[in-house]
Amino acid sequence: MPTLGDLTLHDVTAGYDRHPAVHHVSLRWPAGSLVAVVGPNGAGKSTLLKCVAGRLRPMHGRIDGVEPARVAYLPQVSEVDRSFPITVAELVGLGLWPELGPWRRADAAQRARVAAAIAEVGLQGFERRTLETLSGGQFQRALFARLMLQDAPVVLLDEPFTGVDTRTLEDLVCVLRRWHEQGRTVIAVLHDLALVRAAFPLTTLLARELVAHGPTAAVLTEPNLLRARQLQEAFDERAELCDLDADNEAELAHGGRRRHV
Ligand SMILES: Nc1ncnc2c1ncn2[C@@H]1O[C@H](COP(=O)(O)OP(=O)(O)OP(=O)(O)O)[C@@H](O)[C@H]1O
C-alpha cells in the first residue's frame, strides 16, 4: 500500500460565499495516525474534511502532504444519492475507478477483490441488490467496501456511523482499525465521545477554530469541551473574512503567491 507523509494544515480558513466556517487552523496529523475530529454542530468539521479531500478550496492557508487523487473520502450519508439505480457490486466496483479509469472493465482478479471487499463488510449475498433496497446500515457497509477498493493511503470519513446499529458499528470500527494497522492515515468526524475515547488515539477538537489537538485523553477534558461550546455559541455566522484573509484572497485573485502568517 503506498504511503504518504504527515498531513499538515497551515493556517487554514475555509467557508462559503466569503463567510468563514472554520478559521486559522494549523495542525499536523502524523502519517498512519487514527484521528477523530469532534466538536459541536456547525463547528466546521465537515468543511475542514472537504478541504483535506480537495472538494473545497481553502480561502486562506494551505494543506501539505495530501494528494486528492490518493484520498478515499466518505461524505456524510445525507450527501450520498441512494436513488442511483446501481447494484451493491457496481457501487463497490466504483472503488476501482482510480486504477481502471472510464473505459477499462474489471478483470477476473479485480472482480475477485470486489467480492472479497463485499464479504469483508458482511454483505455476501447482497451483490445484486439495488441501493434503494438496502437498510441504512447495509448501505454504510457497502460504502466502506467501496473505500477498501480505493486502497488509498489517506481515508477521510464524515460521520461514518450515523444511523447504524451496535453490531454494524462494531464491524465497521474493526474495518477502520484494520486500515490503521495497514499504515493508512484514517481521519473520522464523529459525535460519539465514548467511541472516540475507546477507539481513537488522537483527537482534534474544533469549534470554528482549533480548540485542542493531540492524544484523546488530553483533548477530551471538561475545560476543553466547555471552551468548544462557548466558542461555538459566540461565533458570528455572518462574519466576513478577516482583513488578513481578505488581503490574501485579493492577492490570490491577482495571481500572486499565497501568504502565510
Ligand atoms: N454548502 C454550504 N454553503 C453554505 N454554508 C455552509 C455549507 N456547508 C456548511 N455551511 C455552514 O458552515 C458552517 C460549518 O458547517 P459544517 O457542516 O462544516 O459543520 P460540522 O461541524 O460538520 O457540523 P455538524 O456536526 O452539524 O455536521 C455551518 O454554519 C454551516 O451552516
Side-chain angles (χ1 to χ4, degrees):
M1 204 264 313
T3 55
L4 288 181
D6 295 353
L7 229 154
T8 316
L9 277 62
H10 301 272
D11 200 18
V12 169
T13 293
Y16 311 89
D17 307 322
R18 292 188 52 78
H19 297 290
V22 64
H23 60 165
H24 299 299
V25 175
S26 294
L27 58 81
R28 188 174 60 86
W29 287 313
S33 54
L34 176 56
V35 188
V37 179
V38 303
N41 285 133
K45 306 179 295 295
S46 298
T47 301
L48 201 67
L49 216 62
K50 281 179 188 161
C51 288
V52 178
R55 305 285 173 107
L56 183 69
R57 186 165 173 250
M59 294 163 156
H60 176 84
R62 71 171 202 278
I63 300 174
D64 287 341
V66 69
E67 298 164 33
R70 297 176 68 197
V71 169
Y73 168 61
L74 182 64
Q76 278 190 15
V77 74
S78 58
E79 293 181 30
V80 183
D81 183 6
R82 280 181 64 178
S83 63
F84 207 63
I86 57 172
T87 64
V88 168
E90 286 165 339
L91 172 80
V92 175
L94 289 174
L96 293 170
W97 175 268
E99 52 190 280
L100 284 179
W103 310 120
R104 278 177 47 216
R105 291 172 70 89
D107 61 22
Q110 286 161 328
R111 287 197 299 276
R113 280 167 56 206
V114 172
I118 290 174
E120 200 170 336
V121 297
L123 281 183
Q124 222 159 10
F126 287 76
E127 291 83 349
R128 290 172 179 276
R129 291 268 291 267
T130 54
L131 302 185
E132 63 203 357
T133 70
L134 299 179
S135 73
Q138 288 161 348
F139 181 55
Q140 207 62 0
R141 287 173 186 263
L143 292 173
F144 266 63
R146 184 181 65 176
L147 289 176
M148 269 175 201
L149 286 183
Q150 284 180 248
D151 196 24
V154 177
V155 185
L156 307 174
L157 307 149
D158 198 345
E159 299 191 31
F161 308 126
T162 302
V164 303
D165 64 13
T166 314
R167 170 78 198 279
T168 302
L169 173 68
E170 285 168 3
D171 288 352
L172 295 183
V173 168
C174 282
V175 171
L176 219 134
R177 284 202 171 112
R178 268 200 298 283
W179 286 336
H180 176 49
E181 285 159 12
Q182 289 163 353
R184 301 175 208 273
T185 306
V186 181
I187 301 169
V189 171
L190 295 168
H191 281 287
D192 179 348
L193 297 188
L195 173 65
V196 173
R197 287 189 173 97
F200 288 77
L202 291 179
T203 295
T204 299
L205 174 59
L206 275 187
R208 303 293 192 148
E209 61 185 78
L210 185 64
V211 178
H213 169 64
T216 294
V219 168
L220 294 184
T221 61
E222 273 311 312
N224 282 343
L225 294 171
L226 177 65
R227 182 167 155 67
R229 265 199 304 278
Q230 288 168 339
L231 279 170
Q232 183 64 23
E233 281 162 15
F235 189 82
D236 178 3
E237 282 283 342
R238 293 152 305 162
E240 295 279 337
L241 282 174
C242 63
D243 289 348
L244 195 63
D245 294 334
D247 287 352
N248 190 61
E249 203 185 34
E251 203 174 315
L252 268 177
H254 289 94
R257 288 174 57 79
R258 289 181 192 209
R259 208 142 41 100
H260 308 291
V261 288

